[in-house]
């Protein structure tokens, strides 16, 4: 029961802020222009800075567990490829493929991962290593998927690998991640003034993105795309952990490692998926649907998975 209450306390505030954005738009307290500018700000500034700070302040070399690191890395690549293939095969509307693949594979591993592992295990354990192994690839692979499935330019990008690579290299999310990795590996301590300034900016990413999701939420379009949203949500919350958690169990990872892997696989779809889909010409309506659904349902599914791991003696 305590795990369920904890999950509710983590996920419901996200949903409530999305609801706030929806209400503000309905009462014309925010406009479509505000939503557009907010999306661009989060994509170009706040989110890259937040990712940079998260990665740059982690110690990549400390407590390196090669087996765990490689597992997180390889599973991240495989699960994105798997969901991408499923989307490409099953979706009749090919304009939804990029949004489905990203939202169906990419969870809020960094934000929820630390909190969940600390709550269950008493300390954050291997979570930073999971974040370093998985989160940069969450973002990098998402950029690749979105570039190659951009609405109106998908065929062009498929035919021009060079242009697609340039677009990926110029992506502010990728720049933020790679810069963070360099700072972490070089063990550079940024000036306090710079660090605090980035912290303030990074903290704006999630709330502004949530309000923008709510403000841009189209109920009619959302209902029309409910079926693929349910499919992506099922894959994210049930399918991926059902496939990869047994493999982690066979590899005999420790308690904190198993919970970190669970969060990598089964955390609700991260808010930044919407920002990237919106700004990279993919379907933001489907993405926002998946975010809302996985956020609401994760309190139940995560509690179920924690119960399963506890029952088999993993935690």
């Amino acid at each position: 029961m305590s795990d369920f209450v904890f999950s509710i306390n983590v996920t419901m505030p996200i949903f409530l802020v999305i609801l706030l954005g929806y209400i503000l738009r309905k009462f014309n307290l925010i406009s479509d222009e505000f939503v557009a500018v907010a999306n661009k700000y989060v994509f170009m500034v706040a989110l890259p800075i937040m990712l940079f700070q998260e990665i740059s302040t982690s110690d990549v070399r400390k407590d390196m567990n090669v087996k765990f690191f490689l597992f997180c890395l390889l599973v991240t690549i495989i699960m994105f490829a798997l969901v991408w293939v499923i989307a490409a095969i099953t979706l009749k509307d090919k304009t939804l493929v990029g949004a489905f693949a990203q939202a169906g594979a990419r969870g809020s591993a960094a934000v929820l991962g630390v909190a969940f592992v600390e709550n269950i295990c008493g300390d954050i354990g291997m979570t930073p290593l999971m974040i370093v192994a998985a989160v940069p690839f969450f973002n990098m692979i998402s950029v690749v998927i979105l570039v190659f499935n951009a609405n109106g330019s998908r065929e062009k990008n498929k035919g021009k690998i060079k242009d697609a690579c340039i677009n990926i290299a110029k992506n502010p999310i990728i720049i933020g991640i790679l810069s963070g990795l360099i700072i972490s590996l070089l063990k550079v301590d940024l000036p306090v003034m710079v660090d605090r300034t980035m912290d303030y900016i990074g903290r704006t990413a999630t709330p502004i993105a949530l309000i923008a999701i709510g403000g841009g939420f189209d109920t009619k379009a959302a209902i029309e795309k409910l079926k693929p949203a349910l499919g992506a949500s099922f894959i994210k919350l049930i399918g991926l952990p059902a496939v990869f958690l047994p493999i982690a169990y066979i590899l005999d990872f420790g308690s904190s490692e198993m919970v970190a892997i669970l969060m990598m696989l089964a955390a609700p779809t991260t808010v930044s998926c919407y920002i990237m889909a919106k700004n990279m010409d993919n379907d933001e309506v489907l993405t926002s649907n998946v975010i809302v659904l996985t956020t609401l349902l994760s309190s139940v599914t995560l509690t179920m998975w924690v119960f399963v791991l506890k029952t088999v003696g993993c935690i």
Side-chain angles (χ1 to χ4, degrees):
M1 184 64 181
S2 60
D3 288 331
F4 178 76
V5 173
F6 171 79
S7 299
I8 286 289
N9 288 334
V10 171
T11 57
M12 279 308 293
I14 296 173
F15 175 74
L16 291 174
V17 178
I18 292 174
L19 181 61
L20 172 64
Y22 180 76
I23 293 171
L24 291 175
R25 181 67 191 92
K26 284 297 181 182
F27 283 92
N28 293 318
L29 293 174
I30 61 175
S31 63
D32 291 338
E33 184 181 4
F34 170 88
V35 171
V37 171
N39 283 327
K40 192 170 184 179
Y41 162 75
V42 174
F43 179 72
M44 298 294 295
V45 180
L47 187 57
I49 288 178
M50 183 183 77
L51 291 169
F52 168 83
Q53 192 169 45
E54 281 182 358
I55 295 171
S56 65
T57 54
S58 64
D59 193 339
V60 178
R61 300 177 184 179
K62 185 180 179 182
D63 299 324
M64 173 62 73
N65 181 326
V66 176
K67 183 174 79 169
F68 176 69
F69 180 88
L70 290 176
F71 177 85
C72 293
L73 179 63
L74 291 173
V75 167
T76 296
I77 296 171
I78 293 169
M79 72 179 184
F80 268 92
L82 183 62
V83 179
W84 194 358
V85 169
I86 291 172
I89 293 174
T90 61
L91 292 175
K92 293 180 180 179
D93 185 353
K94 299 307 178 183
T95 63
L96 301 178
V97 170
F100 186 102
Q102 182 196 202
R106 184 178 173 200
S108 184
V111 177
L112 290 182
V114 172
F116 226 89
V117 174
E118 189 172 22
N119 183 64
I120 295 173
C121 302
D123 57 62
I124 61 175
M126 292 290 103
T127 310
L129 192 59
M130 179 273 288
I131 292 172
V132 171
V135 172
F137 281 89
F138 275 17
N139 291 277
M140 290 180 186
I141 298 173
S142 292
V143 171
V144 173
I145 290 173
L146 295 175
V147 165
F148 281 92
N149 290 279
N151 298 335
S153 60
R154 185 169 61 256
E155 295 302 324
K156 176 184 176 182
N157 284 329
K158 285 180 179 177
K160 297 186 177 181
I161 305 297
K162 181 179 179 180
D163 290 344
C165 290
I166 291 173
N167 288 336
I168 292 168
K170 289 165 58 178
N171 188 281
I173 305 294
I174 301 300
I175 293 172
I177 291 168
L178 293 179
S179 300
L181 283 172
I182 292 170
I183 294 297
S184 176
L185 290 171
L186 295 178
K187 295 185 177 180
V188 176
D189 291 324
L190 298 174
V192 174
M193 180 176 65
V194 174
D195 188 58
R196 287 184 179 177
T197 300
M198 289 194 301
D199 183 57
Y200 289 146
I201 297 171
R203 286 174 185 268
T204 66
T206 298
I208 291 179
L210 291 173
I211 290 173
I213 290 173
F217 195 76
D218 185 333
T219 51
K220 183 179 179 181
I223 292 172
E224 291 175 356
K225 295 175 181 176
L226 184 59
K227 187 176 179 180
L230 287 170
S233 299
F234 177 82
I235 290 172
K236 185 72 202 75
L237 300 177
I238 304 294
L240 292 177
V243 171
F244 293 107
L245 279 177
I247 299 173
Y249 176 75
I250 293 171
L251 292 173
D252 196 29
F253 286 116
S255 176
S256 65
E257 293 165 334
M258 286 299 294
V259 180
I261 291 168
L262 170 63
M263 295 313 300
M264 181 184 75
L265 297 169
T269 302
T270 181
V271 176
S272 55
C273 283
Y274 173 84
I275 300 299
M276 290 178 65
K278 176 76 173 177
N279 285 273
M280 297 179 68
D281 297 321
N282 280 255
D283 199 288
E284 75 275 8
V285 175
L286 173 59
T287 307
S288 64
N289 278 12
V290 178
I291 291 170
V292 172
L293 285 172
T294 55
T295 298
L296 285 173
L297 298 175
S298 63
S299 58
V300 177
T301 56
L302 282 175
T303 303
M304 178 196 74
W305 286 119
V306 169
F307 177 76
V308 170
L309 291 180
K310 214 161 193 175
T311 301
V312 298
C314 290
I315 58 177

